[in-house]
């Protein structure tokens, strides 16, 4: 089974999260499919890409619109439990897209796998 199919069946795993994101090891979401597409890179143009459409409950959200937020600070916010998630509003500071991060997998519900190919 593909990673997307396993996530759809069993949910996300924080143990599989990369520590390289702006909030450290977390599960990241975007409200824009364009933003999500940036993370679906394949080695070859025209290859199938996969998005997972999810419901996400932000809870007590830590909001930032800093152009270069502190990874250490944001990771600490999530680890300490002072907030349930982080909203990094890149739309406001960089005119790109909002990103959401959380570490508690029960705040996310995978609902649909979308398979597509870019036409560029």
């Amino acid at each position: 089974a593909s990673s997307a199919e396993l996530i759809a069946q069993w949910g996300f795993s924080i143990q599989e999260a990369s520590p390289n994101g702006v909030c450290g090891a977390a599960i990241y979401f975007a409200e824009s499919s364009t933003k999500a597409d940036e993370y679906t890179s394949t080695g070859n143009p025209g290859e199938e890409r996969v998005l997972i459409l999810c419901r996400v409950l932000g809870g007590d959200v830590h909001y930032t619109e800093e152009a270069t937020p502190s990874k250490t600070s944001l990771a600490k916010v999530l680890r300490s439990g002072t907030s349930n998630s982080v909203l990094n509003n890149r739309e406001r500071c960089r005119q790109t897209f909002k990103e959401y991060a959380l570490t508690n997998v029960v705040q996310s519900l995978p609902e649909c796998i979308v398979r597509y190919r870019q036409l560029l």
Side-chain angles (χ1 to χ4, degrees), residues 52-72:
I52 303 172
L53 189 63
C54 300
R55 288 184 194 235
V56 177
L57 178 62
D60 183 13
V61 179
H62 175 82
Y63 177 87
T64 183
E65 56 187 46
E66 296 175 62
T68 52
S70 164
K71 178 178 175 176
T72 305

Side-chain angles (χ1 to χ4, degrees), residues 33-102:
S33 60
T34 302
K35 177 64 179 175
D37 179 68
E38 292 176 8
Y39 296 97
T40 64
S41 64
T42 66
N44 303 308
E47 277 190 349
E48 180 178 85
R49 294 172 180 240
V50 178
L51 295 177
I52 303 172
L53 189 63
C54 300
R55 288 184 194 235
V56 177
L57 178 62
D60 183 13
V61 179
H62 175 82
Y63 177 87
T64 183
E65 56 187 46
E66 296 175 62
T68 52
S70 164
K71 178 178 175 176
T72 305
S73 299
L74 295 181
K76 185 176 180 182
V77 163
L78 289 175
R79 279 195 321 271
S80 70
T82 57
S83 293
N84 304 109
S85 63
V86 169
L87 165 52
N88 185 10
N89 192 349
R90 313 293 290 163
E91 187 176 65
R92 179 78 129 201
C93 65
R94 299 274 186 178
Q95 288 70 53
T96 59
F97 304 101
K98 295 175 183 166
E99 300 174 315
Y100 301 83
L102 53 89

